[in-house]
């Protein structure tokens, strides 16, 4: 049993949830895209205030650890580490793809022939993705995949339905033709974190605040400017 501050910052919008025993007490969202650095601490303060809570009431901090946007992940983890260290609270890193998968499972009733494929946009036709069972078990680990019309064909040929979710899924919807491809409106959202965070807390899956880094999956694409100052 824990009161956990959940922070989802892997993509363009960040969201904050305060949850007790896996149940949402209060939630709040950013008002703009990729404005995490400016809004994150204000959102946390407002979310706690709406729930009539204080930072001292918290038992743990949960953060989406990646994969996702490099800048967004850094902003989120920096804030989470600061809170964890300053309040002497355990830090719970939650895989960003598992958060989307949890939302897709919640919104789309599973069957024995349904799997869940969260996708986070990685620019062009590339996504960060994985495959999950109806119970949330990881069947294929996180990877960076370039989408083509033949992507996931081995599943479709076996008449296995795949539910695609996340901000990368619309790209695949443009080229997918299988009737077994289902596209969800579920996106990265802290409201899908509480059960994952509560499980991590009960299992004492705490991160080392001094050494934890975002799970980028791929190194950042850093270019050298052409003009020299």
């Amino acid at each position: 049993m824990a009161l956990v501050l959940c922070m989802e910052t892997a993509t363009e919008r960040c969201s904050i949830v305060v949850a007790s025993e896996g149940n949402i007490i209060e939630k709040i969202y950013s008002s703009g895209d990729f404005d995490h650095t400016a809004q994150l601490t204000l959102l946390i303060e407002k979310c706690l205030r709406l729930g009539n809570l204080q930072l001292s009431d918290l038992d743990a901090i949960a953060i989406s650890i990646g994969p996702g946007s490099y800048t967004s992940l850094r902003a989120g983890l920096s804030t989470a580490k600061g809170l964890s260290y300053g309040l002497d609270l355990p830090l719970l890193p939650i895989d960003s793809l598992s958060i989307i998968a949890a939302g897709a499972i919640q919104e789309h009733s599973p069957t024995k022939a349904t799997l869940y494929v969260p996708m986070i946009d990685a620019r062009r036709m590339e996504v960060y993705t994985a495959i999950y069972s109806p119970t949330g078990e990881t069947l294929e680990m996180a990877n960076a995949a370039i989408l083509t019309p033949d992507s996931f064909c081995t599943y479709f040929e076996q008449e296995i339905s795949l539910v695609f979710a996340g901000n990368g899924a619309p790209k695949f919807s443009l080229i997918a033709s299988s009737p077994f491809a289902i596209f969800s409106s579920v996106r990265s959202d802290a409201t899908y974190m509480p059960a994952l965070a509560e499980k991590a807390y009960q299992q004492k899956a705490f991160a080392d605040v001094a050494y934890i880094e975002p799970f980028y999956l791929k190194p950042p694409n850093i270019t050298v400017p052409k003009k020299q100052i």
Side-chain angles (χ1 to χ4, degrees):
M1 182 173 65
L3 184 67
V4 183
L5 178 69
C6 300
M7 305 164 55
E8 210 301 306
T9 68
T11 59
E12 63 272 18
R13 291 289 179 99
C14 58
S15 51
I16 306 295
V17 159
V18 180
S20 177
E21 299 182 54
N23 299 309
I24 296 173
I25 295 176
E26 196 58 68
K27 59 185 176 182
I28 195 168
Y29 298 87
S30 62
S31 57
D33 291 350
F34 296 110
D35 199 19
H36 299 31
T37 302
Q39 293 198 41
L40 199 49
T41 55
L42 297 176
L43 291 171
I44 293 169
E45 180 183 2
K46 185 175 181 179
C47 192
L48 289 169
R49 186 170 66 251
L50 290 172
N52 295 314
L53 297 166
Q54 299 180 359
L55 287 171
S56 57
D57 295 321
L58 298 173
D59 295 306
I61 309 294
I63 181 68
S64 55
I65 197 64
S69 161
Y70 300 114
T71 303
S72 300
L73 291 174
R74 285 198 301 270
L77 184 57
S78 295
T79 302
K81 289 172 72 171
L83 289 170
S84 176
Y85 180 79
L87 298 169
D88 193 25
L89 295 176
L91 181 61
L92 309 171
I94 310 295
D95 182 277
S96 303
L97 293 169
S98 71
I99 296 169
I100 300 172
I105 293 168
Q106 179 178 315
E107 299 297 332
H108 297 267
S109 299
T111 69
K112 63 180 180 180
T114 302
L115 300 179
Y116 296 83
V117 187
M119 290 180 166
I120 293 176
D121 188 8
R123 297 186 179 183
R124 299 183 181 86
M125 288 305 290
E126 190 171 20
V127 294
Y128 303 125
T129 189
I131 297 181
Y132 292 81
S133 74
T135 59
E137 178 187 0
T138 305
L139 302 180
E140 287 192 15
M141 300 297 292
N143 64 94
I146 296 175
L147 298 173
T148 73
D150 294 327
S151 295
F152 307 100
C153 64
T154 55
Y155 290 95
F156 296 144
E157 289 169 356
Q158 299 175 63
E159 299 187 354
I160 296 174
S161 294
L162 300 182
V163 177
F164 297 94
N167 68 353
K171 295 196 293 190
F172 189 49
S173 70
L174 298 175
I175 59 175
S177 59
S178 173
F180 297 101
I182 301 168
F183 292 92
S184 168
S185 61
V186 167
R187 299 292 183 265
S188 303
D189 193 322
T191 59
Y192 304 128
M193 292 179 67
L196 299 172
E198 180 68 20
K199 181 179 179 180
Y201 184 82
Q202 296 300 331
Q203 294 178 344
K204 300 187 183 301
F206 306 151
D208 188 322
V209 176
Y211 296 102
I212 187 172
E213 296 289 340
F215 175 46
Y216 291 129
L217 194 58
K218 284 178 34 176
N221 183 21
I222 300 174
T223 59
V224 178
K226 295 181 180 179
K227 293 183 179 181
Q228 300 295 323
I229 300 177

